[in-house]
């Protein structure tokens, strides 16, 4: 016998109002399971994809000869922070088809001031790491205290950045307080810094010497260290976390239900990060070769790739983060190594995602670089660009076109999986089920 409770529950379920179709997309090729196939789509009034039944829709958009896909993601940037920059950056990302962005280090008070604007319709979705974990005077401290302080933060002293733009971790006892603060600040994930970890002891001894640090600041302020000279100084001296602290940090972060992602510069940094079990690596080693360096410094080891595959870690490319540092003498070797590392990661089944880490560029620059150097085909880069958004927000129904998924969509007038030109040919953008009308640039 069916109980009265079951009958009541069933009656209530069938009485629930069904979402109405507000927009039908017909006649296009739709991205499904890594390829395009002919389908119609119905978008419901709750901002989700209802399915392929397009009858009784309030509006129809006929799209023969067009291609529909999920939008793209930017896996590594820092340009979502200054309020004066948000409108232009938001427009550039949306124009490019990027709806999901990951800011891999930021100053929390500035992020807090942005949140109401980021919640507005027609605005990119952003995940923030807040301040990263590093050693005393380790990266990114010099960038904030010496370089950005006068440009963006009114000449703020170091004390104003500690516990905000970065967290100093010198011993295991420092981990919990830093994570407590990050959670209070609303960090969506935690970033750790590894920089030439194979040379940590000697570099940390120099950078943690306050006299050496003060002399460095004076040399920068006097103009003695600037441009390539300053960049060279940083590449030869700056370090990150003590590699022995990485495993306990990763375990502590993940025990709190957060993901942890690593900044790396060398192949040894990559090995330390993946052996500790990070969820993601936010750089490809080998964006450029320093003095007396070769591909061996940046070629990923078979063991590290195997470990990354075992843990399910993803890797964000940032292969073209410093094209100005790639000399004519090293360009071919740098690009060959980048293509080799990416190919080996992909062959191992490791998600390789798109990220730029450049203030003045959005992620199409990185996609174009990867295709140009032969690291990915256009089809591979297109798929990776879509997968990047899903990796940024893994708990959301995005990155695929299926019933119940968020109706965030791109419409192309050419096949975007065939060429860079096709990826540029966006005719319509749909966010939360609504057609976006971008202002003129």
């Amino acid at each position: 016998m069916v109980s009265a409770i079951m009958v009541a529950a069933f009656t209530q379920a069938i009485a629930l109002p069904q979402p109405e179709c507000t927009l039908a997309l017909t006649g296009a090729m739709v991205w499904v399971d890594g390829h395009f196939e002919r389908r119609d789509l119905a978008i419901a009034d709750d901002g989700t994809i209802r399915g392929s039944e397009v009858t009784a829709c309030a509006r129809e958009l006929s799209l023969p000869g067009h291609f529909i896909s999920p939008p793209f993601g930017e896996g590594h940037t820092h340009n979502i922070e200054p309020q004066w920059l948000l409108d232009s950056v938001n427009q550039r990302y949306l124009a490019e088809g990027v709806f999901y962005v990951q800011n891999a280090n930021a100053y929390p008070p500035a992020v807090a001031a942005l949140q109401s604007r980021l919640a507005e319709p027609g605005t990119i979705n952003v995940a923030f790491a807040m301040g990263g974990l590093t050693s005393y005077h380790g990266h990114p401290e010099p960038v904030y205290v010496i370089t950005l302080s006068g440009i963006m933060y009114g000449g703020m002293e170091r004390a104003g950045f500690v516990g905000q733009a970065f967290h100093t971790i010198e011993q295991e006892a420092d981990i919990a307080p830093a994570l407590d603060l990050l959670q209070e600040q609303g960090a969506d994930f935690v970033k750790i810094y590894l920089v030439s970890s194979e040379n940590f002891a000697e570099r940390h001894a120099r950078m943690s010497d306050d006299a050496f640090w003060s002399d460095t600041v004076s040399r920068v302020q006097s103009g003695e260290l600037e441009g390539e000279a300053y960049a060279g100084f940083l590449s030869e001296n700056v370090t990150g976390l003590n590699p022995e602290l990485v495993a306990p940090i990763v375990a502590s972060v993940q025990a709190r239900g957060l993901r942890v992602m690593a900044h790396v510069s060398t192949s040894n940094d990559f090995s330390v990060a993946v052996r500790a079990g990070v969820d993601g690596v936010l750089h490809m080693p080998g964006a450029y070769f320093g003095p007396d360096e070769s591909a061996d410094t940046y070629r990923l080891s078979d063991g590290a790739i195997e470990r990354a595959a075992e843990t399910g870690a993803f890797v964000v490319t940032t292969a073209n983060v410093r094209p100005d540092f790639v000399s004519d003498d090293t360009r071919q070797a740098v690009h060959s190594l980048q293509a080799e590392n990416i190919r080996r990661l992909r062959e191992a089944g490791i998600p390789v995602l798109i990220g730029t880490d450049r203030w003045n560029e959005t992620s199409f620059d990185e996609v174009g670089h990867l295709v140009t150097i032969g690291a990915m085909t256009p089809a591979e880069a297109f798929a990776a660009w879509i997968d990047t958004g899903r990796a940024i927000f893994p708990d959301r129904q995005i990155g695929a076109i299926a019933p119940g998924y968020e109706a965030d969509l791109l419409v192309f007038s050419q096949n975007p999986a065939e060429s860079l030109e096709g990826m540029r040919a966006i005719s319509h953008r749909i966010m939360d089920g609504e057609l976006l009308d971008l202002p003129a640039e």
Side-chain angles (χ1 to χ4, degrees):
M1 179 180 293
V2 179
S3 71
I5 294 176
M6 293 177 63
V7 171
F10 179 76
T11 303
Q12 183 180 15
I14 63 175
L16 290 174
Q18 299 299 308
E20 296 183 2
C21 178
T22 56
L23 178 63
L25 306 175
T26 62
M29 302 292 286
V30 176
W31 184 255
V32 180
D33 296 330
H35 67 282
F36 283 107
E37 60 182 56
R38 169 71 176 81
R39 286 192 182 184
D40 293 335
L41 293 176
I43 296 176
D45 58 5
D46 62 355
T48 65
I49 297 168
R50 193 174 76 173
S52 58
E53 179 54 59
V54 298
T55 58
C57 293
R59 180 182 178 189
E60 179 179 340
L61 193 60
S62 180
L63 297 166
H66 287 68
F67 300 80
I68 301 176
S69 81
F72 303 133
E74 161 62 85
H76 190 151
T77 191
H78 303 280
N79 58 16
I80 311 299
E81 183 180 320
Q83 292 203 46
W84 55 268
L85 193 60
L86 180 61
D87 288 341
S88 62
V89 169
N90 182 66
Q91 183 174 338
R92 286 187 67 187
Y93 277 127
L94 295 180
E96 195 172 84
V98 173
F99 287 13
Y100 315 114
V101 177
Q102 186 161 260
N103 187 318
N105 204 104
Y107 179 63
V111 174
L114 284 182
Q115 292 297 354
S116 61
R117 296 184 63 191
L118 290 173
E120 296 173 358
T123 307
I124 52 176
N125 300 247
V126 188
F128 290 96
M130 304 306 178
L133 309 188
T134 189
S135 62
Y136 183 59
H137 291 335
H139 185 57
E141 181 176 333
V143 176
Y144 278 97
V145 177
I146 300 177
T147 306
L148 294 179
S149 175
I151 298 173
M152 290 178 56
Y153 302 102
M156 185 185 296
E157 298 291 333
R158 177 182 186 273
F161 290 112
V162 177
Q164 299 284 352
F166 52 82
H167 301 262
T168 302
I169 308 294
E170 290 289 305
Q171 55 189 342
E172 286 196 38
D174 298 330
I175 299 172
L179 298 185
D180 289 342
L181 188 52
L182 282 168
Q183 289 187 295
E184 290 174 13
Q185 293 164 344
D188 296 302
F189 64 99
V190 174
K191 183 178 182 182
I192 62 173
Y193 283 88
L194 286 164
V195 182
S196 297
S197 53
E198 62 272 29
N199 301 313
F200 171 77
E202 62 177 271
R203 288 185 174 214
H204 184 253
R206 286 198 298 272
M207 293 300 289
S208 61
D209 184 320
D210 287 333
F212 181 85
W213 173 262
S214 297
D215 180 64
T216 300
V217 173
S218 297
R219 293 173 66 194
V220 172
Q221 292 175 342
S222 69
E224 179 186 346
L225 275 180
E226 61 181 0
E228 291 186 10
Y230 182 41
F233 171 87
L234 293 177
S235 68
E236 294 174 4
N237 290 280
V238 172
T239 190
L241 287 166
N242 182 340
E244 294 182 0
L245 293 174
V246 173
I249 289 171
V250 171
S252 297
V253 173
Q254 293 173 341
R256 293 172 180 241
L258 291 173
R259 296 191 298 168
V260 56
M261 304 177 199
H263 169 109
V264 302
S265 64
T266 65
S267 59
N268 190 75
D269 298 337
F270 184 94
S271 297
V272 171
V274 298
R275 285 173 183 155
V278 297
D279 297 283
V281 178
L282 296 179
H283 283 290
M284 280 289 304
Y288 61 92
F289 295 169
D292 302 320
E293 289 181 338
S294 69
D296 292 338
T297 305
Y298 304 106
R299 181 173 286 110
L300 304 180
S301 71
D302 291 339
I305 291 176
E306 290 172 6
R307 174 59 178 163
E310 290 170 359
T311 62
F314 59 78
V315 178
V316 177
T317 53
T318 68
N320 201 34
V321 60
R322 292 311 302 256
D324 48 324
F325 284 10
V326 180
S327 67
D328 292 339
D329 294 339
T330 63
R331 183 168 288 105
Q332 183 174 349
V334 167
H335 294 171
S336 294
L337 174 72
Q338 290 174 348
E340 175 192 332
N341 278 339
I342 289 172
R343 174 184 55 77
R344 292 169 62 217
L345 289 167
R346 289 176 54 83
E347 288 175 351
I350 296 166
V352 178
L353 308 176
I354 305 301
T356 309
D357 193 23
R358 295 175 66 184
W359 272 78
N360 60 333
E361 297 290 346
T362 45
S363 47
F364 186 83
D365 174 82
E366 181 73 8
V367 170
H369 173 75
L370 297 174
V371 172
T372 300
I373 69 171
M376 291 184 182
T377 66
E380 290 168 343
F382 175 71
W385 208 359
I386 292 171
D387 290 343
T388 303
R390 185 162 40 199
I392 295 171
F393 296 105
D395 297 329
R396 288 172 56 180
Q397 297 281 72
I398 60 174
I401 300 176
Y405 272 62
E406 296 179 32
D408 288 351
L409 302 167
L410 301 176
V411 181
F412 301 85
S413 59
Q414 300 178 35
N415 188 336
E418 290 185 346
S419 67
L420 293 172
E421 181 183 19
M423 294 181 224
R424 286 284 204 192
I426 302 175
S427 60
H428 302 81
R429 298 157 187 84
I430 299 172
M431 177 180 282
D432 298 325
E434 300 288 338
L435 281 164
L436 292 182
D437 183 17
L438 296 185
E441 291 193 24

